[in-house]
């Protein structure tokens, strides 16, 4: 996947229900995320951010519109052009509001399982998982169960799992909501680091305006509509 | 990485308790099978142990185990005259329920044809065979009698001289072995008052008859004890058991005896079949049906437990789907847990059953065939019951991990 854009969406619309119960959760949403670009997606509750994120995460296909990942058409409306689960496994990493770790697996096993799912041997997966946890600064808690880790540590483990298969796309849904400001910023900076060092396109849905300076680009959604792309440089006060 | 084992390790206590519960349920299923086998074994035990080739019983009856059978004791001599018959022995069998040391006491009594048979063939665990024609007995361990203990039955007291094991009557009561004479004395024990009344009735009948009027001296004979009366037969026996000479034609003997109009003859196999089809058939069917019902219930309970276990993991399953886990990994997680649960439950059932079943009042026999079959059934239940959990897992959308 050498295409310039990690993610491209064209006029995505998502409609729930029909007739009198029809709700348009998202309409004509278009976004381009370059490789190595960190994008913040802002908007009030009910604006359609999560709908957009789950659509580009190939979990909740749009009613219409296209999704390209790495230049490859993946979804044309609800019509998929590839095996979505396999594609997700190989190309997309997810981080959620809550760390969403599997409670019966240790921290390292939570990362290891993602690698094993992608065909790595248990030994290679464990080695790679430990390297990732070291990269994210949680290697010392590798054998702890999720409920013994702090919120920040859990979120780092979740990021490690998202990075496990070297995805070209990382999607995060309010990843700092359960963290204090300092730790929240650390996680945002981590996304920026990963995007820049690994060339992944990162989309983060957030309400946390304190760390917006970390992002390269900002989109805002309102009433299901995607606002224009704003570069960080455009937001900086002019001298 | 084996997710099933990881999940079990994480909630080991809960899993162990669940396995214990399922194990106890399976133990009941196992026990019902064992009781079924025990009834079957107990029913045919005596027939097998005695090893008679032929059973001669009262005409048109199904033998002493199925119903009351009375044949004259002198039938032995008629049988011995049949070509091919090596030996013929009296068989007396009945059940008594008395009180012993303040407790209800049930015993199946078997008369041994003393002195030819002193019970030396019995599996004695202590003591000795019968050494006298009267007042001695050999008791099965299940009767709870000790060596040397004295038991009052009717007008006499009998001393336990030998203890045997696993000797049950067809009804599951422990067996007591006496000489034929003693077993008849117990069976036909009549109180003194009843004897006096019978003699008076005999006298009254005599006085009304022409014979009594013409020969009053005969009436003096009528009031004597029964054994002194020349016209009164010896007490009857239940059956005659026959052993054939080596190479004798059993069919020929059967044909000869079948021509006698006062008795019916059965082969050992025939007697066993009559017992299994008659006396224990309903019990067998009842327990068999109950066993099927319990197996179905065990299957439903296991399915619900596995469904609940799956529901508990539904978020993790959605997450696994989200990160691209193939269906076989998720199905494997549920199926393996079902198999672990089934295997562990079976092991618990077997271990607990081995400890508990010997305490049951009737024998519970766990045969290898039954254990093997139950193992397959548990395997089938485990696989089938996991389908409900698997169905639920397949319905889970990765979206639920995000929600």
């Amino acid at each position: 996947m050498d295409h310039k854009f990690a993610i491209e969406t064209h006029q995505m619309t998502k409609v729930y229900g029909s007739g009198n119960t029809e709700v348009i959760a998202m309409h004509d949403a278009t976004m381009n995320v370059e490789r190595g670009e960190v994008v913040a997606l802002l908007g009030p509750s009910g604006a359609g951010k999560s709908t957009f994120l789950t659509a580009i995460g190939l979990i909740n296909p749009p009613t219409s519109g296209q999704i390209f990942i790495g230049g490859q058409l993946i979804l044309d409306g609800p019509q998929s052009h590839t095996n979505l689960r396999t594609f997700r496994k190989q190309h997309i990493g997810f981080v959620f509001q809550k760390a969403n770790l599997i409670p019966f697996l240790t921290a390292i096993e939570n990362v290891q399982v993602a690698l094993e799912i992608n065909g790595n041997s248990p030994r290679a997966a464990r080695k790679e998982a430990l390297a990732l946890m070291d990269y994210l600064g949680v290697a010392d808690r590798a054998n702890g169960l999720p409920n013994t880790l702090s919120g920040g540590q859990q979120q780092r483990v979740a990021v490690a799992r998202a990075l496990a298969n070297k995805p070209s796309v990382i999607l995060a849904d309010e990843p700092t909501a359960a963290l204090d400001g300092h730790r929240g910023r650390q996680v945002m900076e981590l996304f920026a680091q990963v995007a820049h060092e690994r060339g992944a396109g990162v989309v983060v849905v957030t309400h946390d305006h304190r760390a917006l300076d970390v992002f390269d680009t900002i989109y805002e959604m309102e009433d299901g509509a995607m606002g224009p792309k704003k570069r960080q440089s455009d937001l900086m006060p002019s001298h | 990485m084996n997710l099933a084992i990881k999940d079990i390790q994480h909630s080991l206590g809960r899993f162990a308790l669940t396995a214990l519960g399922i194990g106890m349920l399976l133990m009941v299923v196992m026990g019902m099978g064992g009781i079924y086998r025990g009834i079957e074994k107990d029913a045919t035990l005596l027939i097998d142990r005695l090893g008679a080739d032929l059973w001669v019983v009262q005409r048109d009856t199904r033998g002493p185990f199925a119903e009351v059978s009375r044949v004259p004791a002198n039938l032995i001599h008629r049988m011995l005259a049949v070509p091919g018959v090596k030996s013929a022995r009296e068989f007396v069998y009945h059940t008594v329920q008395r009180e012993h040391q303040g407790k209800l006491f049930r015993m199946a009594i078997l008369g041994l044809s003393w002195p030819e048979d002193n019970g030396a063939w019995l599996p004695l665990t202590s003591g000795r065979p019968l050494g006298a024609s009267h007042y001695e007995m050999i008791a099965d361990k299940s009767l709870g009698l000790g060596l040397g203990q004295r038991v009052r039955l009717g007008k006499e007291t009998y001393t336990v001289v030998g203890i045997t094991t696993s000797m049950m009557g067809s009804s599951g009561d422990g067996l007591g072995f006496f000489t034929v004479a003693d077993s008849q004395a117990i069976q036909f024990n009549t109180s003194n008052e009843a004897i006096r009344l019978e003699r008076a009735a005999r006298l009254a009948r005599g006085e009304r008859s022409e014979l009594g009027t013409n020969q009053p001296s005969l009436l003096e004979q009528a009031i004597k004890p029964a054994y002194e009366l020349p016209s009164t037969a010896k007490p009857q026996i239940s059956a005659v058991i026959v052993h054939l000479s080596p190479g004798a034609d059993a069919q020929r003997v059967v044909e000869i005896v079948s021509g006698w109009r006062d008795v019916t003859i059965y082969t050992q196999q025939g007697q066993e079949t009559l017992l299994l089809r008659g006396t224990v058939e309903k019990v067998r069917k009842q327990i068999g049906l109950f066993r099927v019902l319990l197996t179905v219930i065990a299957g439903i309970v296991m399915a619900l437990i596995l469904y609940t276990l799956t529901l508990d993991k539904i978020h993790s399953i959605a997450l696994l789907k989200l990160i691209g886990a193939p269906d076989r990994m998720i199905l494997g997680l549920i199926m393996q847990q079902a198999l672990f649960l089934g295997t562990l439950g079976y092991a618990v059932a077997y271990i607990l059953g081995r400890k508990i079943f010997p305490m049951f009042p009737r024998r519970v026999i766990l045969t290898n065939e039954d254990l093997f079959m139950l193992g397959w059934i548990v395997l089938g239940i485990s696989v089938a019951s996991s389908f409900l959990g698997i169905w639920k897992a397949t319905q889970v959308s990765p979206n639920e991990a995000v929600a």
Side-chain angles (χ1 to χ4, degrees):
Chain A
M1 289 197 177
D2 298 327
H3 197 266
K4 177 189 173 189
F5 291 108
I7 309 165
E8 295 165 86
T9 69
H10 291 308
Q11 296 183 313
M12 279 203 306
T13 297
K14 180 72 183 181
V15 180
Y16 291 108
S18 61
N20 291 337
T21 59
E22 184 179 285
V23 175
I24 301 172
M26 172 176 74
H27 58 89
D28 296 333
T30 297
M31 177 190 276
N32 298 321
V33 182
E34 291 177 24
R35 293 183 175 281
E37 186 179 11
V38 192
V39 175
L41 182 57
L42 307 177
S45 293
K49 305 186 296 294
S50 293
T51 302
F52 179 82
L53 201 74
T54 54
I56 58 173
L58 313 180
I59 302 167
N60 186 18
T63 310
S64 64
Q66 290 93 38
I67 299 172
F68 296 83
I69 293 180
Q72 181 185 347
L73 176 61
I74 306 299
L75 277 171
D76 189 356
Q79 182 74 39
S80 63
H81 286 250
T82 186
N83 182 311
L84 298 183
R85 200 187 294 190
T86 307
F87 194 89
R88 266 202 315 269
K89 174 177 74 179
Q90 292 167 341
H91 299 288
I92 303 176
F94 293 92
V95 181
F96 308 99
Q97 183 174 345
K98 284 185 277 182
N100 253 344
L101 300 177
I102 296 171
F104 55 83
L105 299 181
T106 61
I108 192 167
E109 285 166 350
N110 264 282
V111 183
Q112 190 183 336
V113 73
L115 287 154
E116 284 189 27
I117 284 169
N118 210 20
N120 292 281
S121 70
R123 179 177 288 208
R126 194 164 182 89
K127 193 176 169 188
E128 177 65 20
L130 194 60
L132 271 168
M133 292 183 75
D134 190 38
Y135 173 67
L136 293 166
V138 279
D140 58 324
R141 302 309 314 273
N143 293 315
L145 284 167
N147 61 4
T148 65
L149 307 181
S150 70
Q153 287 169 332
Q154 286 185 35
Q155 205 57 290
R156 280 167 183 267
V157 174
V159 174
R161 182 180 63 198
L163 297 179
N165 293 311
K166 299 184 174 60
S168 52
V169 173
I170 295 172
L171 306 174
D173 192 3
E174 299 190 37
T176 60
L179 304 177
D180 60 43
H182 176 65
R183 290 188 191 281
R185 184 172 184 86
Q186 278 185 333
V187 170
M188 295 300 195
E189 284 172 349
L190 197 60
F191 283 128
Q193 182 187 339
V194 167
H196 298 149
E197 287 180 8
R198 302 192 168 217
V202 178
V203 179
V204 180
V205 170
T206 183
H207 281 114
D208 189 353
H209 288 245
R210 289 170 299 180
L212 284 183
D213 57 302
V214 174
F215 296 94
D216 300 316
T217 310
I218 294 166
Y219 282 89
E220 274 191 83
M221 284 189 85
E222 194 161 355
D223 295 333
M226 183 71 76
K229 184 176 191 173
K230 294 174 190 165
R231 294 269 177 200
Q232 187 66 248
S233 52
D234 301 335
L235 298 172
M236 298 291 268
S238 54
H239 296 286
Chain B
M1 184 187 308
N2 189 309
L3 294 176
I5 291 177
K6 294 285 175 191
D7 185 33
I8 291 168
Q9 283 174 338
H10 182 246
S11 44
L12 197 58
R14 186 178 162 201
F15 192 82
L17 271 177
T18 308
L20 183 69
I22 286 178
M24 293 183 86
L25 190 59
L26 289 176
M27 184 186 73
V28 177
V29 179
M30 200 179 270
M32 292 310 287
I35 290 169
Y36 178 91
R37 290 289 173 208
I39 286 172
E40 206 173 55
K41 185 79 179 170
D42 287 347
T44 57
L45 178 87
L46 257 183
I47 297 174
D48 291 340
R49 287 278 186 175
L50 290 167
D53 296 313
L54 299 168
W55 288 73
V56 187
V57 303
Q58 185 181 335
R59 183 77 186 179
D60 295 334
T61 71
R62 300 291 178 265
F65 301 108
E67 57 183 308
V68 173
S69 166
R70 293 268 175 266
V71 292
N74 62 17
L75 181 62
I76 293 170
H77 307 297
R78 284 159 64 192
M79 285 309 304
L80 285 170
V82 177
V85 171
K86 182 183 162 195
S87 69
R89 289 191 320 203
E90 300 147 305
F91 180 82
V92 175
Y93 178 80
H94 58 95
T95 305
V96 295
Q97 179 170 312
R98 305 285 162 84
E99 197 169 292
H100 176 64
Q101 295 180 338
K103 287 182 183 171
L104 207 61
F105 177 69
R106 273 184 70 85
M107 172 167 61
I109 289 176
L110 182 74
L112 298 175
S113 193
W114 172 272
E116 294 83 11
D117 184 0
N118 64 354
W121 53 274
L122 291 168
L124 293 176
T125 54
S126 61
R128 57 168 175 79
L130 299 182
S133 58
H134 289 292
Y135 316 127
E136 287 190 353
M137 67 175 285
I138 298 168
D140 185 71
K141 194 176 156 188
S142 65
L143 291 170
L145 299 172
L147 209 59
Q149 196 166 344
R150 293 161 66 79
V151 183
R152 180 87 180 168
L153 291 166
K155 295 189 188 70
E156 310 298 344
T157 301
Y158 301 87
T159 306
V160 179
V161 297
I163 301 289
T164 185
T165 184
S166 302
M167 293 301 293
M168 307 285 177
S170 57
S171 56
D173 298 311
L175 273 164
F177 299 86
F178 300 77
T179 61
V180 165
D182 282 352
S183 65
Q184 285 177 320
I186 296 165
Q187 187 178 13
F188 299 111
N189 168 48
T190 316
S191 70
N192 294 338
E193 180 61 15
I195 292 168
R196 275 194 293 275
L197 288 170
E198 166 55 21
R199 284 179 191 168
R202 224 183 286 156
L203 183 64
R205 283 198 302 274
E207 283 170 347
R208 286 196 300 274
S209 72
E210 192 180 335
L211 191 66
T213 313
N214 295 340
Q215 296 183 38
S217 61
L218 275 179
L219 298 178
E220 289 171 24
Q221 298 289 324
I223 56 172
K224 284 184 175 177
Y227 64 85
E228 289 184 27
L229 294 178
S231 59
T232 306
K234 281 174 69 181
Q236 293 191 311
I237 57 175
S238 306
V240 170
I241 53 176
V242 176
H243 286 91
L244 299 176
S245 305
D249 182 359
Q251 193 53 42
R252 179 71 191 132
V253 176
V254 169
E255 279 171 17
I256 293 170
V257 178
S258 297
W260 301 352
R261 301 180 70 174
D262 61 335
V263 294
T264 296
I265 186 162
Y266 295 106
T267 59
Q268 179 178 344
Q269 186 62 46
Q271 188 64 207
E272 278 190 9
T273 308
L274 276 175
L275 248 178
L276 294 178
R277 286 194 187 157
T279 318
V280 296
E281 180 66 5
K282 280 185 183 167
V283 181
R284 274 189 353 153
K285 275 186 183 166
Q286 182 134 338
I287 290 178
L289 288 171
F290 197 56
R291 194 182 175 195
V292 170
L293 199 65
L294 274 174
T295 309
V296 172
I297 291 169
I300 292 169
V301 169
M302 270 189 78
L304 287 174
I305 287 172
L306 286 164
Y307 183 70
T308 311
L309 286 175
T310 307
L311 285 185
D312 288 348
K313 286 191 289 285
I314 216 72
H315 193 80
S316 296
I317 289 170
L319 191 60
L320 284 166
K321 281 188 169 182
L322 184 70
I323 61 176
D327 283 338
R328 68 170 186 281
M329 189 177 197
I330 293 158
L331 303 195
L333 165 67
I334 297 166
M335 185 75 83
Q336 283 169 30
Q337 285 197 340
L339 291 173
F340 279 134
L341 207 56
T343 309
L344 205 59
Y346 184 84
V348 167
Y350 182 76
I351 293 165
L352 280 182
R354 284 277 180 205
K355 296 274 180 202
I356 292 171
F357 294 152
M359 297 174 196
F360 280 31
R362 285 199 68 153
R363 282 205 294 173
V364 181
I365 299 172
L366 302 178
T367 65
N368 286 339
E369 292 92 335
D370 286 352
L371 290 173
F372 195 64
M373 185 182 283
L374 184 62
W376 280 109
I377 290 171
V378 171
L379 185 71
I381 287 176
S382 304
V383 173
S385 60
S386 66
F387 289 158
L388 194 61
I390 287 170
W391 170 81
K392 182 65 188 171
T394 56
Q395 302 299 306
V396 177
S397 161
N399 245 335
E400 291 190 30
V402 185

